[in-house]
Amino acid sequence: MYRDPVQSLEPLPSRPAAIRALRVGMIGIGTVGSGTFRVLARNQAEIAGRAGRPIELVMVAARNLVRAATVVGGNVPLTDDPLRVATHPDVDVVVEVAGGTGPARDWVLAAIAHGKHVVTANKALLAEHGAEIFAAARRHGVAVAYEGAVAVSIPIVKALREGLTANRIEWVAGIINGTTNFILSKMRDEGLDFAAALVQAQALGYAEADPAFDIEGIDAAHKLTLLAANAFGTSVRLADVQVEGITALQRVDVACAEQLGYRIKLLGVARRSEEGVELRVQPALVPASHLMAHVNGSMNAVMVKGDAAGVTMYYGAGAGSEQTASAVIADLVDVARLDGTHAAQRVPHLGFHAHAMSDLPVLPRAAACCAHYLRIPVHAASQIEAVSGWLAGQQVPVRQVALAAAQPGMGAQVLVLTQPVRQGTMDLALHALQAHPLVAGKVTALRVEELA
Amino acid sequence: MYRDPVQSLEPLPSRPAAIRALRVGMIGIGTVGSGTFRVLARNQAEIAGRAGRPIELVMVAARNLVRAATVVGGNVPLTDDPLRVATHPDVDVVVEVAGGTGPARDWVLAAIAHGKHVVTANKALLAEHGAEIFAAARRHGVAVAYEGAVAVSIPIVKALREGLTANRIEWVAGIINGTTNFILSKMRDEGLDFAAALVQAQALGYAEADPAFDIEGIDAAHKLTLLAANAFGTSVRLADVQVEGITALQRVDVACAEQLGYRIKLLGVARRSEEGVELRVQPALVPASHLMAHVNGSMNAVMVKGDAAGVTMYYGAGAGSEQTASAVIADLVDVARLDGTHAAQRVPHLGFHAHAMSDLPVLPRAAACCAHYLRIPVHAASQIEAVSGWLAGQQVPVRQVALAAAQPGMGAQVLVLTQPVRQGTMDLALHALQAHPLVAGKVTALRVEELA
């Protein structure tokens, strides 16, 4: 049996009595900031035991100092000047949880220029200014960590940047906006239309008074750009995402999808093909038997297909004070664990080192290929064969065709699931179909994602 | 607007032309080893782009050198002496994928003593010898990484050790054995009994010729000990796990669980309470509406409840050549990313630094508290009230009681779901119930996990 030669010579190293704490300056003490303060305080012993040293909040910048004082008490110095936190010599890491993009960009760049690591949960900031911020961080050798910017409670950035590094990632698909998933779940479970479900979401605090950012898919697009960059080693390109929200979604389509064995989810999808990368946020049909179809309420989930790991999925809350704090603090522990080394940039900001980033072309809408669901109002149920035959003649191969189950006040509707087809072909066919004498009303088209 | 003062002065650093590769010595070139070789070769550019340097296989130890040569070709030196790989000066990291516990322990300890990092997918080795191996690694300042040892394709060790570090973990519950989940899915979907489902699993390669290790729950217990140690900061204690496999499970109970709105899964559960830690592997009822109930076939999933993040879930393949390689290579990339620093032990082996580990007591069976499912054969359906009343008198509060739907050849059966109750109380009540004149046959008891 092998014996460790030094076993009896060298004692286990004990930790030094006083270890230098990681000193955190926080900008913003709203929902996320106060959650971070609370969790850092409540779990301080456990967090220090994991990090190897204490994580200490040494300074907070807030607009409303009176309100801030009620959160952090008398022991943390307060300032109303975020740049003071960003540049203060006693701060090792700046946590930016104030939100917004213009001023937040300035604070983050100032912190980086002063050699400080940055932790942020600000997806809009990174989606818009990520390229500039990450380049500055590379020059200064500091970490910019942002686990809280995507599907907050789920360590999905870590999974992509570190857990799945062996893989060529084929696609990422996520339910990455809790507000819209809550609304879609209500529409399905209670047969509500969009407007009624939105009112419920607002009443329960799942949607803002101005919900446009969520329901139009912008928030999901921000997150998708970060997921795609980490998956494929491309830069962050918000402008290239095709974005469609759920405001136009009708409850009849929720019911018809159900009839065909599908559920409708707002999916962010990033897919790599030989020709380029497809980036889109759209409501899509997912098979009812698929795990993603069972992600309900305000929960989030991200599915990743890698060539070695196969499909893996990550599920959890996508919003919330302490849920976001969980991600922010995990990023702080990552920084704290690099104590005494110069490997702050251990993990490249977007998963790949700068020299290995590729700028895969983003596919134009017409080039992307996907199966589709169509709901076609017709004058008579007997026209089902004619519709199906007409589509085949337009190079839209049909996989399944059915009549919609009768609903009050609704005329005959033909439901079609197509084979995968180029969006350009589909768009042309839809344009012609809408004008066809067979058709008695507005045709609805949604994408189908088998996620296999 | 803030301007980065060095933007125009300092060019982006370019990578040096030749970066020192991370040199890997592999022990074992079976299913996992050959998958690792294949993925390292296929994705070498992408992996190097993520790791910051190439990862190069420089030596392989195998029992059958002829077979090994057919896998790795002529470019990698082969040896039949694992200790040569473990101690060779040209090797930076030893990948142990040979399996087994005795000799593997010696090789791993030898590698550690020679200052080499170790990556292994050997759950049995770590469950049995983890304490000794991690202590040696701490002394020598090397990493021992083992993402591949638990639910291979899912980066769950990383999620627990790094992603959820802000949290006090309350419980971890996992479907962490693919063979048994395949068998249970077959039993439910096709109404098979255990023996018939096992035969199918063997025919399809989901179960070994000698399946005891999987179906008796031992494999799941190995993984659970590693999950629990990382979740709670306790040492690895295989002997403390209560283990019950699925060999005694009857298809009638699969059907009766379904009738009550539940599915049966082999769950590994680690739960922390004020009194201590509960560690058990058992078939348990999970609500059919719960995401874990939809983890089917040979797939694995682990759910974690943290006090800040709430519930998060991680899903993916639990076995397979390249699926395991995905985890092994992610561990190698982690090591490669520490290039030039002395932070090899950046993340403590079991999540917590040694001084912060706690030895929470493991609860004895009788002290654990859980809801139960009971199937009680009775002489007549009319006895349902009497059974329910009798249980209440034994301090077993009943939440739901029903008659089992008729099945061919089966007499009347009372189904009971209890409120959470101490296992000690339940065991006493079951003993008395079995002898009660109301009861017409063997009483079946299974635990119920709401996982809320």
Side-chain angles (χ1 to χ4, degrees), chain A residues 109-139:
Chain A
L109 288 174
I112 291 169
H114 283 78
K116 299 184 192 318
H117 307 295
V118 171
V119 172
T120 178
N122 191 332
K123 62 216 89 169
L125 174 69
L126 296 178
E128 290 179 21
H129 303 294
E132 179 185 19
I133 288 169
F134 295 138
R138 271 201 306 280
R139 277 197 302 278

PDB file of all heavy atoms in Angstrom, chain A residues 109-139:
ATOM      1  N   LEU A 109     -16.495  51.735 -15.045  1.00  0.00           N
ATOM      2  CA  LEU A 109     -15.206  51.998 -15.706  1.00  0.00           C
ATOM      3  C   LEU A 109     -14.236  52.688 -14.745  1.00  0.00           C
ATOM      4  O   LEU A 109     -13.026  52.415 -14.765  1.00  0.00           O
ATOM      5  CB  LEU A 109     -15.419  52.853 -16.967  1.00  0.00           C
ATOM      6  CG  LEU A 109     -16.079  52.110 -18.139  1.00  0.00           C
ATOM      7  CD1 LEU A 109     -16.370  53.076 -19.288  1.00  0.00           C
ATOM      8  CD2 LEU A 109     -15.207  50.956 -18.635  1.00  0.00           C
ATOM      9  N   ALA A 110     -14.744  53.550 -13.888  1.00  0.00           N
ATOM     10  CA  ALA A 110     -13.881  54.209 -12.896  1.00  0.00           C
ATOM     11  C   ALA A 110     -13.306  53.182 -11.926  1.00  0.00           C
ATOM     12  O   ALA A 110     -12.111  53.204 -11.596  1.00  0.00           O
ATOM     13  CB  ALA A 110     -14.660  55.285 -12.138  1.00  0.00           C
ATOM     14  N   ALA A 111     -14.153  52.266 -11.474  1.00  0.00           N
ATOM     15  CA  ALA A 111     -13.693  51.236 -10.543  1.00  0.00           C
ATOM     16  C   ALA A 111     -12.598  50.385 -11.191  1.00  0.00           C
ATOM     17  O   ALA A 111     -11.557  50.111 -10.589  1.00  0.00           O
ATOM     18  CB  ALA A 111     -14.872  50.355 -10.119  1.00  0.00           C
ATOM     19  N   ILE A 112     -12.824  49.993 -12.439  1.00  0.00           N
ATOM     20  CA  ILE A 112     -11.853  49.168 -13.165  1.00  0.00           C
ATOM     21  C   ILE A 112     -10.533  49.926 -13.313  1.00  0.00           C
ATOM     22  O   ILE A 112      -9.447  49.373 -13.062  1.00  0.00           O
ATOM     23  CB  ILE A 112     -12.423  48.777 -14.549  1.00  0.00           C
ATOM     24  CG1 ILE A 112     -13.586  47.791 -14.376  1.00  0.00           C
ATOM     25  CG2 ILE A 112     -11.329  48.174 -15.434  1.00  0.00           C
ATOM     26  CD1 ILE A 112     -14.385  47.547 -15.656  1.00  0.00           C
ATOM     27  N   ALA A 113     -10.619  51.204 -13.685  1.00  0.00           N
ATOM     28  CA  ALA A 113      -9.407  52.000 -13.879  1.00  0.00           C
ATOM     29  C   ALA A 113      -8.625  52.153 -12.569  1.00  0.00           C
ATOM     30  O   ALA A 113      -7.417  52.348 -12.584  1.00  0.00           O
ATOM     31  CB  ALA A 113      -9.769  53.371 -14.445  1.00  0.00           C
ATOM     32  N   HIS A 114      -9.319  52.032 -11.451  1.00  0.00           N
ATOM     33  CA  HIS A 114      -8.639  52.089 -10.154  1.00  0.00           C
ATOM     34  C   HIS A 114      -8.256  50.701  -9.647  1.00  0.00           C
ATOM     35  O   HIS A 114      -7.956  50.524  -8.475  1.00  0.00           O
ATOM     36  CB  HIS A 114      -9.508  52.833  -9.136  1.00  0.00           C
ATOM     37  CG  HIS A 114      -9.479  54.322  -9.314  1.00  0.00           C
ATOM     38  ND1 HIS A 114     -10.196  54.967 -10.307  1.00  0.00           N
ATOM     39  CD2 HIS A 114      -8.767  55.294  -8.667  1.00  0.00           C
ATOM     40  CE1 HIS A 114      -9.961  56.278 -10.253  1.00  0.00           C
ATOM     41  NE2 HIS A 114      -9.094  56.499  -9.271  1.00  0.00           N
ATOM     42  N   GLY A 115      -8.306  49.730 -10.543  1.00  0.00           N
ATOM     43  CA  GLY A 115      -7.806  48.395 -10.201  1.00  0.00           C
ATOM     44  C   GLY A 115      -8.744  47.590  -9.335  1.00  0.00           C
ATOM     45  O   GLY A 115      -8.331  46.619  -8.691  1.00  0.00           O
ATOM     46  N   LYS A 116     -10.013  47.969  -9.321  1.00  0.00           N
ATOM     47  CA  LYS A 116     -10.951  47.236  -8.470  1.00  0.00           C
ATOM     48  C   LYS A 116     -11.734  46.215  -9.284  1.00  0.00           C
ATOM     49  O   LYS A 116     -12.075  46.464 -10.444  1.00  0.00           O
ATOM     50  CB  LYS A 116     -11.915  48.221  -7.813  1.00  0.00           C
ATOM     51  CG  LYS A 116     -11.162  49.218  -6.942  1.00  0.00           C
ATOM     52  CD  LYS A 116     -12.058  50.151  -6.211  1.00  0.00           C
ATOM     53  CE  LYS A 116     -11.238  51.306  -5.604  1.00  0.00           C
ATOM     54  NZ  LYS A 116      -9.956  50.885  -4.978  1.00  0.00           N
ATOM     55  N   HIS A 117     -12.002  45.089  -8.672  1.00  0.00           N
ATOM     56  CA  HIS A 117     -12.905  44.129  -9.286  1.00  0.00           C
ATOM     57  C   HIS A 117     -14.324  44.678  -9.230  1.00  0.00           C
ATOM     58  O   HIS A 117     -14.641  45.489  -8.369  1.00  0.00           O
ATOM     59  CB  HIS A 117     -12.863  42.792  -8.545  1.00  0.00           C
ATOM     60  CG  HIS A 117     -11.476  42.259  -8.389  1.00  0.00           C
ATOM     61  ND1 HIS A 117     -10.706  41.880  -9.453  1.00  0.00           N
ATOM     62  CD2 HIS A 117     -10.717  42.060  -7.277  1.00  0.00           C
ATOM     63  CE1 HIS A 117      -9.536  41.456  -9.022  1.00  0.00           C
ATOM     64  NE2 HIS A 117      -9.509  41.557  -7.711  1.00  0.00           N
ATOM     65  N   VAL A 118     -15.144  44.220 -10.159  1.00  0.00           N
ATOM     66  CA  VAL A 118     -16.528  44.681 -10.209  1.00  0.00           C
ATOM     67  C   VAL A 118     -17.461  43.472 -10.213  1.00  0.00           C
ATOM     68  O   VAL A 118     -17.211  42.483 -10.912  1.00  0.00           O
ATOM     69  CB  VAL A 118     -16.773  45.528 -11.481  1.00  0.00           C
ATOM     70  CG1 VAL A 118     -18.262  45.839 -11.658  1.00  0.00           C
ATOM     71  CG2 VAL A 118     -15.967  46.822 -11.427  1.00  0.00           C
ATOM     72  N   VAL A 119     -18.502  43.551  -9.420  1.00  0.00           N
ATOM     73  CA  VAL A 119     -19.588  42.568  -9.471  1.00  0.00           C
ATOM     74  C   VAL A 119     -20.862  43.344  -9.765  1.00  0.00           C
ATOM     75  O   VAL A 119     -21.139  44.348  -9.097  1.00  0.00           O
ATOM     76  CB  VAL A 119     -19.715  41.804  -8.134  1.00  0.00           C
ATOM     77  CG1 VAL A 119     -20.957  40.925  -8.133  1.00  0.00           C
ATOM     78  CG2 VAL A 119     -18.459  40.976  -7.869  1.00  0.00           C
ATOM     79  N   THR A 120     -21.598  42.894 -10.756  1.00  0.00           N
ATOM     80  CA  THR A 120     -22.825  43.614 -11.111  1.00  0.00           C
ATOM     81  C   THR A 120     -23.932  42.630 -11.458  1.00  0.00           C
ATOM     82  O   THR A 120     -23.666  41.493 -11.870  1.00  0.00           O
ATOM     83  CB  THR A 120     -22.580  44.590 -12.291  1.00  0.00           C
ATOM     84  OG1 THR A 120     -23.812  45.236 -12.625  1.00  0.00           O
ATOM     85  CG2 THR A 120     -22.065  43.861 -13.520  1.00  0.00           C
ATOM     86  N   ALA A 121     -25.173  43.068 -11.259  1.00  0.00           N
ATOM     87  CA  ALA A 121     -26.326  42.261 -11.655  1.00  0.00           C
ATOM     88  C   ALA A 121     -27.076  42.987 -12.762  1.00  0.00           C
ATOM     89  O   ALA A 121     -28.234  42.698 -13.038  1.00  0.00           O
ATOM     90  CB  ALA A 121     -27.237  42.031 -10.455  1.00  0.00           C
ATOM     91  N   ASN A 122     -26.375  43.913 -13.438  1.00  0.00           N
ATOM     92  CA  ASN A 122     -27.002  44.857 -14.363  1.00  0.00           C
ATOM     93  C   ASN A 122     -26.891  44.365 -15.805  1.00  0.00           C
ATOM     94  O   ASN A 122     -25.924  44.647 -16.514  1.00  0.00           O
ATOM     95  CB  ASN A 122     -26.293  46.208 -14.178  1.00  0.00           C
ATOM     96  CG  ASN A 122     -26.988  47.341 -14.871  1.00  0.00           C
ATOM     97  OD1 ASN A 122     -27.661  47.126 -15.875  1.00  0.00           O
ATOM     98  ND2 ASN A 122     -26.813  48.537 -14.361  1.00  0.00           N
ATOM     99  N   LYS A 123     -27.917  43.600 -16.249  1.00  0.00           N
ATOM    100  CA  LYS A 123     -27.865  42.995 -17.593  1.00  0.00           C
ATOM    101  C   LYS A 123     -27.914  44.028 -18.697  1.00  0.00           C
ATOM    102  O   LYS A 123     -27.279  43.880 -19.731  1.00  0.00           O
ATOM    103  CB  LYS A 123     -28.984  41.970 -17.764  1.00  0.00           C
ATOM    104  CG  LYS A 123     -30.374  42.564 -17.643  1.00  0.00           C
ATOM    105  CD  LYS A 123     -31.346  41.618 -16.975  1.00  0.00           C
ATOM    106  CE  LYS A 123     -31.299  41.845 -15.474  1.00  0.00           C
ATOM    107  NZ  LYS A 123     -32.290  41.244 -14.663  1.00  0.00           N
ATOM    108  N   ALA A 124     -28.690  45.119 -18.466  1.00  0.00           N
ATOM    109  CA  ALA A 124     -28.793  46.158 -19.499  1.00  0.00           C
ATOM    110  C   ALA A 124     -27.424  46.810 -19.715  1.00  0.00           C
ATOM    111  O   ALA A 124     -26.992  47.024 -20.849  1.00  0.00           O
ATOM    112  CB  ALA A 124     -29.831  47.193 -19.084  1.00  0.00           C
ATOM    113  N   LEU A 125     -26.740  47.092 -18.623  1.00  0.00           N
ATOM    114  CA  LEU A 125     -25.401  47.687 -18.709  1.00  0.00           C
ATOM    115  C   LEU A 125     -24.470  46.828 -19.549  1.00  0.00           C
ATOM    116  O   LEU A 125     -23.784  47.317 -20.453  1.00  0.00           O
ATOM    117  CB  LEU A 125     -24.833  47.849 -17.291  1.00  0.00           C
ATOM    118  CG  LEU A 125     -23.387  48.321 -17.202  1.00  0.00           C
ATOM    119  CD1 LEU A 125     -23.269  49.767 -17.658  1.00  0.00           C
ATOM    120  CD2 LEU A 125     -22.844  48.163 -15.774  1.00  0.00           C
ATOM    121  N   LEU A 126     -24.455  45.519 -19.266  1.00  0.00           N
ATOM    122  CA  LEU A 126     -23.512  44.637 -19.970  1.00  0.00           C
ATOM    123  C   LEU A 126     -23.954  44.372 -21.404  1.00  0.00           C
ATOM    124  O   LEU A 126     -23.122  44.232 -22.296  1.00  0.00           O
ATOM    125  CB  LEU A 126     -23.347  43.328 -19.203  1.00  0.00           C
ATOM    126  CG  LEU A 126     -22.716  43.493 -17.814  1.00  0.00           C
ATOM    127  CD1 LEU A 126     -22.634  42.146 -17.114  1.00  0.00           C
ATOM    128  CD2 LEU A 126     -21.329  44.130 -17.904  1.00  0.00           C
ATOM    129  N   ALA A 127     -25.272  44.290 -21.624  1.00  0.00           N
ATOM    130  CA  ALA A 127     -25.744  44.053 -22.985  1.00  0.00           C
ATOM    131  C   ALA A 127     -25.397  45.246 -23.870  1.00  0.00           C
ATOM    132  O   ALA A 127     -25.071  45.090 -25.048  1.00  0.00           O
ATOM    133  CB  ALA A 127     -27.251  43.803 -22.988  1.00  0.00           C
ATOM    134  N   GLU A 128     -25.429  46.448 -23.295  1.00  0.00           N
ATOM    135  CA  GLU A 128     -25.150  47.645 -24.101  1.00  0.00           C
ATOM    136  C   GLU A 128     -23.672  48.028 -24.103  1.00  0.00           C
ATOM    137  O   GLU A 128     -23.141  48.439 -25.133  1.00  0.00           O
ATOM    138  CB  GLU A 128     -25.999  48.821 -23.593  1.00  0.00           C
ATOM    139  CG  GLU A 128     -27.486  48.632 -23.904  1.00  0.00           C
ATOM    140  CD  GLU A 128     -28.346  49.783 -23.396  1.00  0.00           C
ATOM    141  OE1 GLU A 128     -27.807  50.886 -23.162  1.00  0.00           O
ATOM    142  OE2 GLU A 128     -29.561  49.555 -23.219  1.00  0.00           O
ATOM    143  N   HIS A 129     -23.000  47.921 -22.945  1.00  0.00           N
ATOM    144  CA  HIS A 129     -21.620  48.398 -22.851  1.00  0.00           C
ATOM    145  C   HIS A 129     -20.624  47.304 -22.491  1.00  0.00           C
ATOM    146  O   HIS A 129     -19.496  47.594 -22.096  1.00  0.00           O
ATOM    147  CB  HIS A 129     -21.536  49.520 -21.799  1.00  0.00           C
ATOM    148  CG  HIS A 129     -22.452  50.678 -22.076  1.00  0.00           C
ATOM    149  ND1 HIS A 129     -22.292  51.497 -23.170  1.00  0.00           N
ATOM    150  CD2 HIS A 129     -23.548  51.135 -21.414  1.00  0.00           C
ATOM    151  CE1 HIS A 129     -23.246  52.422 -23.166  1.00  0.00           C
ATOM    152  NE2 HIS A 129     -24.039  52.224 -22.126  1.00  0.00           N
ATOM    153  N   GLY A 130     -21.068  46.031 -22.616  1.00  0.00           N
ATOM    154  CA  GLY A 130     -20.207  44.926 -22.202  1.00  0.00           C
ATOM    155  C   GLY A 130     -18.860  44.923 -22.897  1.00  0.00           C
ATOM    156  O   GLY A 130     -17.821  44.719 -22.258  1.00  0.00           O
ATOM    157  N   ALA A 131     -18.845  45.147 -24.202  1.00  0.00           N
ATOM    158  CA  ALA A 131     -17.591  45.067 -24.954  1.00  0.00           C
ATOM    159  C   ALA A 131     -16.569  46.048 -24.375  1.00  0.00           C
ATOM    160  O   ALA A 131     -15.416  45.690 -24.103  1.00  0.00           O
ATOM    161  CB  ALA A 131     -17.857  45.356 -26.430  1.00  0.00           C
ATOM    162  N   GLU A 132     -16.994  47.284 -24.138  1.00  0.00           N
ATOM    163  CA  GLU A 132     -16.104  48.308 -23.608  1.00  0.00           C
ATOM    164  C   GLU A 132     -15.660  47.965 -22.172  1.00  0.00           C
ATOM    165  O   GLU A 132     -14.474  48.090 -21.826  1.00  0.00           O
ATOM    166  CB  GLU A 132     -16.871  49.644 -23.625  1.00  0.00           C
ATOM    167  CG  GLU A 132     -16.106  50.815 -23.082  1.00  0.00           C
ATOM    168  CD  GLU A 132     -16.976  52.073 -23.016  1.00  0.00           C
ATOM    169  OE1 GLU A 132     -18.223  51.941 -23.043  1.00  0.00           O
ATOM    170  OE2 GLU A 132     -16.402  53.178 -22.934  1.00  0.00           O
ATOM    171  N   ILE A 133     -16.604  47.517 -21.372  1.00  0.00           N
ATOM    172  CA  ILE A 133     -16.301  47.219 -19.959  1.00  0.00           C
ATOM    173  C   ILE A 133     -15.342  46.035 -19.843  1.00  0.00           C
ATOM    174  O   ILE A 133     -14.370  46.070 -19.088  1.00  0.00           O
ATOM    175  CB  ILE A 133     -17.617  46.970 -19.181  1.00  0.00           C
ATOM    176  CG1 ILE A 133     -18.358  48.297 -19.005  1.00  0.00           C
ATOM    177  CG2 ILE A 133     -17.357  46.305 -17.845  1.00  0.00           C
ATOM    178  CD1 ILE A 133     -19.793  48.156 -18.499  1.00  0.00           C
ATOM    179  N   PHE A 134     -15.595  44.971 -20.610  1.00  0.00           N
ATOM    180  CA  PHE A 134     -14.729  43.796 -20.513  1.00  0.00           C
ATOM    181  C   PHE A 134     -13.324  44.104 -21.045  1.00  0.00           C
ATOM    182  O   PHE A 134     -12.323  43.599 -20.524  1.00  0.00           O
ATOM    183  CB  PHE A 134     -15.350  42.609 -21.252  1.00  0.00           C
ATOM    184  CG  PHE A 134     -16.639  42.118 -20.633  1.00  0.00           C
ATOM    185  CD1 PHE A 134     -17.727  41.771 -21.424  1.00  0.00           C
ATOM    186  CD2 PHE A 134     -16.766  41.990 -19.257  1.00  0.00           C
ATOM    187  CE1 PHE A 134     -18.917  41.322 -20.859  1.00  0.00           C
ATOM    188  CE2 PHE A 134     -17.952  41.544 -18.679  1.00  0.00           C
ATOM    189  CZ  PHE A 134     -19.032  41.204 -19.492  1.00  0.00           C
ATOM    190  N   ALA A 135     -13.255  44.926 -22.097  1.00  0.00           N
ATOM    191  CA  ALA A 135     -11.931  45.297 -22.630  1.00  0.00           C
ATOM    192  C   ALA A 135     -11.142  46.081 -21.580  1.00  0.00           C
ATOM    193  O   ALA A 135      -9.939  45.836 -21.372  1.00  0.00           O
ATOM    194  CB  ALA A 135     -12.090  46.112 -23.915  1.00  0.00           C
ATOM    195  N   ALA A 136     -11.801  47.000 -20.903  1.00  0.00           N
ATOM    196  CA  ALA A 136     -11.125  47.772 -19.853  1.00  0.00           C
ATOM    197  C   ALA A 136     -10.667  46.842 -18.722  1.00  0.00           C
ATOM    198  O   ALA A 136      -9.547  46.962 -18.213  1.00  0.00           O
ATOM    199  CB  ALA A 136     -12.060  48.856 -19.318  1.00  0.00           C
ATOM    200  N   ALA A 137     -11.528  45.890 -18.360  1.00  0.00           N
ATOM    201  CA  ALA A 137     -11.187  44.966 -17.279  1.00  0.00           C
ATOM    202  C   ALA A 137      -9.985  44.104 -17.653  1.00  0.00           C
ATOM    203  O   ALA A 137      -9.117  43.820 -16.823  1.00  0.00           O
ATOM    204  CB  ALA A 137     -12.393  44.092 -16.947  1.00  0.00           C
ATOM    205  N   ARG A 138      -9.922  43.699 -18.926  1.00  0.00           N
ATOM    206  CA  ARG A 138      -8.759  42.912 -19.378  1.00  0.00           C
ATOM    207  C   ARG A 138      -7.485  43.730 -19.243  1.00  0.00           C
ATOM    208  O   ARG A 138      -6.474  43.230 -18.779  1.00  0.00           O
ATOM    209  CB  ARG A 138      -8.936  42.478 -20.841  1.00  0.00           C
ATOM    210  CG  ARG A 138      -9.650  41.150 -21.019  1.00  0.00           C
ATOM    211  CD  ARG A 138      -9.354  40.528 -22.378  1.00  0.00           C
ATOM    212  NE  ARG A 138      -9.643  41.424 -23.479  1.00  0.00           N
ATOM    213  CZ  ARG A 138     -10.860  41.636 -23.973  1.00  0.00           C
ATOM    214  NH1 ARG A 138     -11.909  41.025 -23.450  1.00  0.00           N
ATOM    215  NH2 ARG A 138     -11.037  42.456 -24.977  1.00  0.00           N
ATOM    216  N   ARG A 139      -7.535  44.974 -19.671  1.00  0.00           N
ATOM    217  CA  ARG A 139      -6.341  45.829 -19.589  1.00  0.00           C
ATOM    218  C   ARG A 139      -5.864  45.968 -18.143  1.00  0.00           C
ATOM    219  O   ARG A 139      -4.667  45.986 -17.889  1.00  0.00           O
ATOM    220  CB  ARG A 139      -6.654  47.220 -20.137  1.00  0.00           C
ATOM    221  CG  ARG A 139      -6.562  47.329 -21.650  1.00  0.00           C
ATOM    222  CD  ARG A 139      -6.468  48.782 -22.093  1.00  0.00           C
ATOM    223  NE  ARG A 139      -7.600  49.567 -21.631  1.00  0.00           N
ATOM    224  CZ  ARG A 139      -8.790  49.596 -22.250  1.00  0.00           C
ATOM    225  NH1 ARG A 139      -8.988  48.892 -23.351  1.00  0.00           N
ATOM    226  NH2 ARG A 139      -9.761  50.330 -21.772  1.00  0.00           N
TER     227      ARG A 139
END
